[in-house]
Amino acid sequence: MKFIQGNYYDVLIEVRDLVHLCYELITHPLVGSVKPNETPYRSIILKQGINTDLQSVTIIENSIQTYEKFERMKSTPIWSQRILEDFQFVDLKLFESSLDSISLYS
Amino acid sequence: MIKIVHYINQFFAGIGGEEKADFKPEVREGIVGPGLALKTAFGNEAEIVATIICGDSYFNENLEAAAKEILEMVKKYSPDLFIAGPAFNAGRYGVACGTICKEVQDKLGIPAVTGMYIENPGADIFKKDVYILSTANAATGMRQAVPAMAKLALKLANKEAIGTPYEEGYIQRGIRKNIFREERGSKRAVNMLVAKLKNESFETEYPMPDFDRVTPNKAILDIKKTKIALVTSGGIVPKHNPDRVESSSASKYGKYDISGVMDLTEETYETAHGGYDPVYANLDADRVLPVDVLRDMEKEGLIGELHRYFYATVGNGTSVANSKKYAAEIAQELIKDGVQAVILTST
Amino acid sequence: MVKEIERAGLPVVHICTIVPISLTVGANRIVPAVAIPYPLGNPTLSKEDEKKLRRGIVEKALKALQTEVTGQTVFEK
Amino acid sequence: MLKDKKVIIIGDRDGIPAPAIEECIKTAGAEVVFAATECFV
Amino acid sequence: MRLELGKVLIKDMQFGNQTKVENGTLFINKEEMLNAISGDDRIKGIELDIAKPGEETRIMPVKDVIEPRVKVEGPGSIFPGVLGKADVVGSGKTNVLKGAAVVTTGKIVAFQEGIIDMSGIGADYTPFSKTCNLVVVCTPTDKLQQHEHEQAVRFIGLKAANYLGEAARNVVPDEVKVYETLPFAESLKQYPNLPRVAYVYMLQTQGLMHDTYVYGVDAKKIVPTIIYPTEVMDGAILSGNCVSACDKNPTFSHCNNPVIEDLYERHGKDYNFVGVIITNENVTLMDKERSSNWTAKLAEFLSLDAVIISEEGFGNPDTDLMMNCKKISDKGIKTVLITDEYAGRDGASQSLADADRSADAVVTGGNANEVIELPAMKKVIGYLEPADIIAGGFDGSLRPDGSILAELQVITGATSEIGFNKMSATTL
Amino acid sequence: MDLENQKRVLDLSEKYGKENVVVVLGTAEAESAGLTAETVAAGDPTYAGPLAGVSLGLVVYHVFELKDQFDAQVYDDQCGMMEMVLDVDALNNEVSSMRKQFSKF
């Protein structure tokens, strides 16, 4: 479990670096329909592998591009505490849903 | 009446060909060269108040200064419309037309139009930003190009709605625009399905990004006599990055002499790539660009020769247009230097 | 990039980590590499072994250059 | 048609070059005032 | 499986003494209806309002839109596994209040989107400006957890549609349409020479506010499976997806899935429409791989010649869409995709987060990022303040005069990925 | 058409009078024959040269059109070979059509 002090983008970049060090994506970085220029929160699950996972690389690179596309249009606003909490909550719920899915086969 | 400033190169101004391509920007009151044809096409609706002439080499070699200078000239006339070219298949003229049109549009807020042959490198670079009328590949297409350009230009000046590339004749800009079609989406999908089943033609509404392919070149017959060059998109550069190749969104590439270099070491080379953890490449750049191994093989006579220069860009964030342009330039130089095969490494 | 060099008439071999990306960008002769931060190396190996590994990949690349291909071909590990 | 006219010849390196046309024109009683061979490629 | 769909055409909606249909008008007894749908102690109060086509009314933030239907004959009830038993539906007779809809609204989280304008330019983009809408506004009790809130509103909406649907039980429909799909073996015998096609129906299944239910089961817990098209018309698939307004499929759209309707149109003429494969859009890559493997396997199992694949949502489902497309194409089965685009406000960015060469026949519902200006409306049902923070809105979106400048994203159903609309996009 | 040559054509037609000047072409391709004919009769269609926007209206022929005017033996020696190779009809048509449209003399 690694907490990245920063925003959605910082998490994506950290994940990309991990992917390049042979970590494998378990969850899709763009999970959920909340757009990357809205929520400052993002949880992504990875697993250590032996070789670079090609699919993970493609997906994380595309995700970063998608993030950049949205951020170019309009950057993430400075939200009020109440909204931030809601974004946290949705991220948590999506994260829990990921954990649920993983526990199905591990 | 709509006031127009027209931009042309030294050739169309009747000043001369390649030998005069270093001609510096100059403004002339009224019409010069192809402006005559535009005048006929515009009739009484618009008037060319000034023509700016600039040599193609001058423009491309002094891109920023030339653009600035020309922008000032345009500003003086405060026109309603700016037209450049048409440039047909003249590459540097095309780049000049595209650059200056974009500048005029962005900085002065004046609508601009140019014309080019679809394979003109300027078309690829600027089609997103500027309306580029699709023309023939040579000046003999002037007669067809000018009326269409004039029509499109007038529409822009009058702020009329611009139709599709097919209707207006401009080069597809790659911009997605919402439209309403005759049938609802599900019906269109069923129609497409039936067409596909019957092997009839259909048109996808969203073409996938370019999957353009190139036919492979012939294999090397005698590798022992072959001059091989190294190219990398992994951003390997001499220590401290003398050319300032950018860590991402590369706007240039580096060309580095490795004659006498047997091994890339931590002290001498590093990576400028921003897309991956640079520690390993910085410790030993051979991990990205295998100079050490190729030198050994050169010594052992397993390859003919390692080319004395290697080329480096960073892959990530580089625009397709830029990377195409660099690669084309690099390839030309390599061929000129007698290189017969290339090893390209990417991270 | 690899495509433009090929288009200009030079046979080119692409050594890269992410084969699918290489396929997407249109390389014709593809040799898979080790990992992104070190496509032609492996820091966990000794210097000698690492160089041996690198030489192996380069040899495969040279072989690829000497092999006639008609379409995109991956020269597997 | 050509008699007593001043003729300008634009020959073509890949077609009929100017000197060849000039030879012909002379037999028609016209004066060649300029002859050039272009390369149209 | 054979379903007779009886359409009771509704042209007007009014509150009245008795809930009934008379001459194309749906009268609603407000008291009775409130009684029928309340009872959830998580909800403090429910208000009902009516919004009709052409009125200067804005509904926001919209959670779901549901069409009132009633099972007149045959097994099961509407919304099986949720309001009734999990009986297999899709046969017999079902009546529909065509032209009426229930719209639920609520501020479940602070950044909610979903706008339906009943007139003006915004009305052109949403299919739900053409229906008479009974709007249900629920006020939650204090400190109600968001997922509890979401669930409560979802159920109240279904109950409301169910209640109104009952009004059509004993009405002779204005129009009856029969849809029939035979068991697979019989269907092959019926049209031995026609190519076999199916519909691959992708459902958003990612977690809170991103879920879809099949017979009451959270669809992220299913593996891809085959269902009869008519099951969908009886409410077998329900939406719990209320994030992406423009390209989610509200329950209304599931029941009226236009791909199913249009595939039936040419069934038996140009092809044999053998059934629907439902699949999900999951959060983990392994799930994505598994589900796409299964859809491709089922497509092969049914010896299909071609499929239409529809997507739901944005971003990671692009990966599911491309995986499905590629794996099905690799089996030699032809594919047509329906998606929408996020090409940026200027339309110049890459539209999808994934791409594959095999995706050579794509229908698009348009660019969700295109900006639109929605005029002020006289009446707002729901809450106007979220305009600033809804997806696709931005600082200053909501102007002092009540008009809204926002991306098409905010409009419910604007870029439908099951092809509900005529909107599309083209390359300029 | 070559910019230098355009200039010469312009100068010579002023010197001798446009009505006295005839241009004879030896062009191999119909398209370039037409363009050259158009240049000297109607003005430079590429608008790059001195004849841009200048309609001289000169009379212009392709050399093949004038076959009858020449000594047969000389013509045969000089042009006979190319006459067999090139598309004479297309060339003659192209040039004569330009002449009919734009020549003023």
Side-chain angles (χ1 to χ4, degrees), chain E residues 209-282:
Chain E
M209 304 200 301
H210 291 84
D211 282 325
T212 306
Y213 300 87
V214 179
Y215 283 95
V217 177
D218 180 350
K220 74 166 100 36
K221 296 186 173 133
I222 65 164
V223 286
T225 186
I226 298 167
I227 67 175
Y228 282 102
T230 51
E231 294 180 73
V232 180
M233 297 177 179
D234 272 352
I237 299 176
L238 301 179
S239 170
N241 178 14
C242 49
V243 171
S244 189
C246 65
D247 56 11
K248 69 173 179 188
N249 300 323
T251 300
F252 186 104
S253 307
H254 284 301
C255 293
N256 285 288
N257 189 310
V259 177
I260 292 178
E261 284 180 16
D262 289 338
L263 275 172
Y264 265 126
E265 279 300 309
R266 296 168 80 164
H267 167 59
K269 299 181 206 108
D270 294 304
Y271 48 72
N272 181 5
F273 175 31
V274 298
V276 177
I277 300 170
I278 52 170
T279 181
N280 44 23
E281 299 172 351
N282 286 310

Side-chain angles (χ1 to χ4, degrees), chain B residues 11-14 16 33-34 36-37 40 139-140 142-143, chain F residues 3 31 35 38 45-50 52-54 98:
Chain B
F11 176 77
F12 282 94
L36 290 163
T40 316
T140 50
M142 187 72 82
R143 215 177 325 160
Chain F
L3 303 189
E31 197 196 345
L35 288 165
E38 185 181 350
T46 69
Y47 287 85
V54 182
M98 287 298 162

Side-chain angles (χ1 to χ4, degrees), chain E residues 185-344:
Chain E
E186 287 172 45
S187 146
L188 295 191
K189 258 184 257 161
Q190 190 184 14
Y191 301 114
N193 299 320
L194 287 179
R196 285 171 295 279
V197 309
Y199 172 34
V200 175
Y201 195 172
M202 292 169 53
L203 309 172
Q204 175 75 275
T205 54
Q206 312 221 326
L208 176 68
M209 304 200 301
H210 291 84
D211 282 325
T212 306
Y213 300 87
V214 179
Y215 283 95
V217 177
D218 180 350
K220 74 166 100 36
K221 296 186 173 133
I222 65 164
V223 286
T225 186
I226 298 167
I227 67 175
Y228 282 102
T230 51
E231 294 180 73
V232 180
M233 297 177 179
D234 272 352
I237 299 176
L238 301 179
S239 170
N241 178 14
C242 49
V243 171
S244 189
C246 65
D247 56 11
K248 69 173 179 188
N249 300 323
T251 300
F252 186 104
S253 307
H254 284 301
C255 293
N256 285 288
N257 189 310
V259 177
I260 292 178
E261 284 180 16
D262 289 338
L263 275 172
Y264 265 126
E265 279 300 309
R266 296 168 80 164
H267 167 59
K269 299 181 206 108
D270 294 304
Y271 48 72
N272 181 5
F273 175 31
V274 298
V276 177
I277 300 170
I278 52 170
T279 181
N280 44 23
E281 299 172 351
N282 286 310
V283 285
T284 70
L285 295 176
M286 196 185 296
D287 285 333
K288 286 179 188 302
E289 288 288 3
R290 184 193 306 110
S291 289
S292 54
N293 286 342
W294 273 62
T295 47
K297 182 186 68 180
L298 290 173
E300 179 189 55
F301 188 79
L302 295 174
S303 313
L304 298 178
D305 294 292
V307 295
I308 292 178
I309 310 172
S310 71
E311 187 187 356
E312 181 175 11
F314 137 90
N316 81 79
D318 297 347
T319 301
D320 297 275
L321 180 70
M322 290 306 154
M323 281 182 178
N324 281 326
C325 176
K326 183 176 188 311
K327 290 175 185 178
I328 294 174
S329 300
D330 283 350
K331 299 211 178 276
I333 298 165
K334 294 180 166 136
T335 55
V336 173
L337 313 185
I338 313 179
T339 181
D340 68 344
E341 304 179 44
Y342 288 80

Side-chain angles (χ1 to χ4, degrees), chain E residues 59-128:
Chain E
I59 312 169
M60 72 180 288
V62 173
K63 302 273 77 64
D64 198 8
V65 185
I66 311 149
E67 190 172 53
R69 296 188 168 207
V70 62
K71 201 88 206 112
V72 180
E73 244 179 68
S77 58
I78 292 293
F79 313 134
V82 180
L83 293 191
K85 288 185 188 159
D87 294 330
V88 172
V89 292
S91 59
K93 280 185 191 171
T94 296
N95 280 357
V96 189
L97 291 174
K98 200 89 235 162
V102 168
V103 176
T104 53
T105 161
K107 281 196 287 187
I108 291 170
V109 290
F111 48 88
Q112 284 294 279
E113 55 196 321
I115 295 179
I116 295 174
D117 275 1
M118 300 308 290
S119 65
I121 181 157
D124 297 344
Y125 290 90
T126 175
F128 310 113

Side-chain angles (χ1 to χ4, degrees), chain A residues 29-85:
Chain A
L30 296 177
V31 47
S33 281
V34 180
K35 307 300 178 291
N37 60 348
E38 291 164 24
T39 178
Y41 306 107
R42 175 55 76 210
S43 301
I44 301 171
I45 306 175
L46 297 106
K47 157 177 129 185
Q48 187 158 24
I50 303 153
N51 290 314
T52 310
D53 180 56
L54 311 181
Q55 191 187 40
S56 299
V57 174
T58 315
I59 288 174
I60 186 67
E61 294 290 347
N62 282 335
S63 301
I64 290 173
Q65 275 182 24
T66 304
Y67 175 87
E68 286 170 345
K69 170 174 84 182
F70 276 88
E71 201 60 24
R72 262 202 309 278
M73 276 190 275
K74 179 207 172 214
S75 47
T76 313
I78 315 283
W79 298 114
S80 69
Q81 191 54 33
R82 151 112 205 278
I83 298 171
L84 287 176
E85 280 168 15

